[in-house]
Amino acid sequence: PSQTATDLMPKTLVLFGLVYVAAASFAAFAQQPQRDGPRYDGMTLVRPVDYREWAFLGSGLGLTYDNGNAANAAPPFTNVFVNPSSYRSFMETGTWPNQTVFVLESRRSETNAAPNVGGRFQGEMLGLEAEVKDSRFPDGWAFFNFGRASALSNAAAPLTGDAVRACVECHTQHTAVKRTFVQFYPTLLEVARRKGTIKPAFR
């Protein structure tokens, strides 16, 4: 026997309700910010392949903390990126939240390309490093080196021994905002000044 419109109505309402719930759930999921902090394999940091889509903090030419490299005839460029959620947090508070990831990309500087007659531009990548603020590490921070560009590692273990001691000492004594060289990023330095988060020793 054929079903009447009255018979079909409850089923139609149930189906409509299920579709509505599914659509609402998908919309809520889509609006949630996607996690962009560090990803680990055990204690090793997985190399973020999309870091060039992150917030760009700044670029340096020939920045070095070693007097022996101060007169480099072909100084490299260094580009620094940070995960977007941590950048937004810093802009609001002047401090970096837990699970902040900084990526340091080194690139060769070039001069020989038309129509350039004097300045320098960025060339091939040389290497990739990272600094992470994460409470999972005893010191709350960790440093990683993914190696040279010709053989980048997919993951890197935290630096240890003399290598990390030198990093910690430099990032403790000479940074404007805790463990980070905000003095090299003018727009962030202005934020830190407004928020009062610049280290007293740096002033």
Side-chain angles (χ1 to χ4, degrees):
S2 62
Q3 291 181 308
T4 65
T6 302
D7 296 330
L8 292 174
M9 187 175 298
K11 296 179 180 179
T12 303
L13 290 175
V14 171
L15 180 60
F16 176 78
L18 291 174
V19 171
Y20 176 81
V21 171
S25 299
F26 177 79
F29 175 79
Q31 291 175 0
Q32 292 177 353
Q34 299 300 304
R35 183 179 178 278
D36 60 9
R39 293 175 52 239
Y40 299 101
D41 181 5
M43 291 299 288
T44 63
L45 179 68
V46 176
R47 175 165 52 90
V49 296
D50 61 344
Y51 71 89
R52 279 196 149 262
E53 299 175 13
W54 291 5
F56 174 61
L57 298 186
S59 183
L61 176 61
L63 286 176
T64 179
Y65 316 125
D66 182 354
N67 289 329
N69 293 328
N72 191 338
F77 280 96
T78 49
N79 301 316
V80 181
F81 304 84
V82 68
N83 56 310
S85 63
S86 293
Y87 175 81
R88 291 191 295 268
S89 180
F90 186 93
M91 297 301 285
E92 294 176 359
T93 66
T95 60
W96 300 108
N98 193 50
Q99 297 209 325
T100 293
V101 186
F102 301 93
V103 173
L104 175 69
E105 176 193 72
S106 300
R107 287 186 174 270
R108 192 181 306 280
S109 64
E110 305 283 357
T111 59
N112 186 23
N116 178 51
V117 294
R120 290 185 175 274
F121 58 91
Q122 299 193 29
E124 65 179 344
M125 190 166 79
L126 298 173
L128 201 68
E129 302 173 41
E131 178 187 10
V132 175
K133 180 181 181 182
D134 196 329
S135 57
R136 72 161 48 200
F137 300 106
D139 192 35
W141 296 79
F143 299 86
F144 304 84
N145 189 343
F146 295 102
R148 299 193 61 80
S150 57
L152 283 179
S153 300
N154 291 326
L159 296 181
T160 58
D162 292 340
V164 75
R165 278 192 289 272
C167 291
V168 170
E169 181 180 2
C170 187
H171 281 250
T172 300
Q173 295 182 5
H174 304 297
T175 49
V177 176
K178 189 174 182 181
R179 294 289 181 91
T180 57
F181 292 103
V182 170
Q183 63 263 40
F184 297 144
Y185 318 131
T187 56
L188 296 191
L189 187 59
E190 293 175 5
V191 172
R193 282 179 175 146
R194 290 199 305 269
K195 302 296 184 179
T197 57
I198 295 178
K199 290 161 48 178
F202 179 80
R203 295 194 186 97

